[in-house]
Amino acid sequence: MRKRLLAPLGVCALLLAGLLSGCSFGETPKIKVLILPTFEIGDMKCDFPGEAQFYYEAFLEGGQEYEIAGGFEGHRLYVKDGVALYVTGMGKVNSALSTMAVLSDNRFDFSNAYVLSTGCAGGAYGYAVMGDVFLVTAAADYDLGHHADIRDMKDQSAATWFHDDSFDNSSILKPNAGLMDRAYALVKDVKVETTEKTRKAMNDIFKGAEWACRDPMVLRGATVTGDNYWKGLHDHQNAMLIAATYGCPDPFAVSDMESLAIGLALRRMNMADRYIILRDVVNMDVFMMGATPESLWGPKANDHLSEDGSMESIDIFATAMKNNFAVGRVIVEAILNDWRE
């Protein structure tokens, strides 16, 4: 009997010694901020940047990496000094499932964590310019409701989206207004940039319109989130109607594919009051430079947002990634410092 007890007693002694010596054996990492970009291009560092790279290089490089059960295949949770980052995958389903998988992992303490959803978006015609960064104060759903084909409409100029209030419990999310005010006060004067090629294109395409010729800024706005990657004046009209129907506190500014879904996952986890969304504008929600649906998305299309010469992003993609990080870094550091002024 004594021999059988020696091994368990030895393990207990080691555990007790570790605790008394301050060893972190078995300690649950406390996460202060979880950063959720949706995709990366290539490696996590030192190449052309996607949504994650600048955040990884600044906050996570050299930290721990963890496989997440039920997460996006091949992706890992990076953790270092109270910061965690996970690339969720694009679209509402991927981003929501990834968020739930990460937050359900009991190896980590997310009980007081803020969640920063960060990434690129399409800018609203007449309001946004490429290079802008928006603090999103409302996320509305593009897909829920009813969509008609304009060819079936009697009024060919009417919006083709129809509200269905049976979806209202999951079709709109308005992040904590006090948190939005606090975050915006920190970042509203952060300098963001453009390129000469992008500036000239905005001026030429929109014929010198005042809204299109300004420098990019950090602004507040609403996003319309949909799995449908849409573009064009008809759906711009739909997005405007959607934002107005749901009473978004700021104008429709960007369209994306994840913000609302991540927010709904957080609502299920009772964390929606600590949710922050940053979106940088890398293209517009209307066709430009002679582009058509066929040329961008048809079987012979060969246009990629992140590449030089893209008819959609017109040289802004990498600069917009830097802009997003310039703003996001201020927020992450404020959280790590417990929002001290």
Side-chain angles (χ1 to χ4, degrees):
M1 177 67 72
R2 184 177 178 182
K3 289 181 179 179
R4 291 178 182 177
L5 287 173
L6 284 176
L9 287 171
V11 171
C12 291
L14 286 172
L15 289 172
L16 180 59
L19 290 173
L20 292 175
S21 66
C23 176
S24 61
F25 184 89
E27 182 178 333
T28 302
K30 294 183 183 297
I31 307 302
K32 284 193 169 185
V33 56
L34 170 63
I35 305 170
L36 296 177
T38 68
F39 70 89
E40 185 48 57
I41 301 168
D43 295 329
M44 289 295 288
K45 61 178 183 177
C46 299
D47 60 3
F48 192 89
E51 295 178 347
Q53 181 168 301
F54 291 125
Y55 289 95
Y56 174 84
E57 290 174 338
F59 294 108
L60 284 309
E61 189 171 359
Q64 299 297 311
E65 301 180 12
Y66 301 88
E67 298 284 349
I68 298 296
F72 196 91
E73 184 177 0
H75 291 192
R76 294 180 177 181
L77 180 72
Y78 302 96
V79 177
K80 183 181 178 183
D81 298 333
V83 181
L85 182 148
Y86 192 83
V87 180
T88 66
M90 294 186 289
K92 290 193 288 185
V93 173
N94 284 328
S95 58
L97 290 176
S98 292
T99 300
M100 292 294 284
V102 170
L103 295 176
S104 298
D105 194 317
N106 60 16
R107 291 175 295 174
F108 312 98
D109 181 357
F110 294 105
S111 59
N112 294 302
Y114 288 83
V115 177
L116 175 63
S117 169
T118 179
C120 59
Y125 170 80
Y127 186 62
V129 303
M130 290 192 289
D132 279 343
V133 177
F134 281 92
L135 177 70
V136 171
T137 56
D141 195 277
Y142 169 91
D143 301 299
L144 294 176
H146 306 281
H147 283 267
D149 190 308
I150 193 64
R151 292 168 295 185
D152 294 322
M153 299 279 290
K154 289 184 177 180
D155 182 354
Q156 298 288 299
S157 65
T160 57
W161 175 81
F162 296 84
H163 180 219
D164 185 332
D165 61 10
S166 64
F167 294 117
D168 282 1
N169 65 334
S170 55
S171 56
I172 180 66
L173 184 137
K174 299 174 184 177
N176 182 324
L179 178 60
M180 296 302 95
D181 290 343
R182 188 177 200 178
Y184 189 63
L186 287 174
V187 302
K188 61 184 177 65
D189 296 322
V190 171
K191 180 176 175 53
V192 292
E193 300 177 353
T194 188
T195 73
E196 288 306 313
K197 184 176 179 180
T198 304
R199 187 194 304 276
K200 183 177 186 304
M202 289 293 293
N203 181 72
D204 291 348
I205 292 165
F206 298 109
K207 304 187 186 307
E210 184 177 352
W211 69 268
C213 296
R214 63 169 174 81
D215 289 335
M217 303 169 62
V218 182
L219 299 167
R220 298 163 60 115
T223 187
V224 173
T225 299
D227 278 320
N228 187 308
Y229 184 163
W230 58 268
K231 187 185 288 287
L233 288 171
H234 281 296
D235 273 324
H236 171 84
Q237 184 179 2
N238 286 337
M240 296 284 286
L241 177 60
I242 289 167
T245 299
Y246 292 122
C248 296
D250 291 296
F252 163 58
V254 291
S255 61
D256 72 56
M257 303 174 71
E258 297 86 19
S259 294
L260 177 64
I262 292 172
L264 294 179
L266 294 176
R267 182 187 286 170
R268 300 280 184 94
M269 304 294 284
N270 295 315
M271 294 177 63
D273 63 332
R274 300 193 302 277
Y275 184 35
I276 301 169
I277 308 164
L278 285 182
R279 290 285 166 170
D280 56 276
V281 177
V282 298
N283 62 343
M284 300 300 293
D285 68 354
V286 293
F287 293 98
M288 304 185 300
M289 298 181 65
T292 65
E294 294 85 354
S295 69
L296 290 180
W297 307 322
K300 296 182 179 180
N302 191 31
D303 190 87
H304 302 285
L305 276 172
S306 61
E307 294 182 353
D308 290 340
S310 168
M311 297 177 71
E312 283 203 84
S313 64
I314 315 175
D315 196 42
I316 198 64
F317 191 90
T319 299
M321 296 299 109
K322 292 178 184 177
N323 288 348
N324 185 303
F325 174 68
V327 178
R329 181 173 202 156
V330 173
I331 292 174
V332 172
E333 290 177 348
I335 294 169
L336 293 177
N337 288 316
D338 298 318
W339 296 96
R340 290 190 294 271
E341 298 296 337

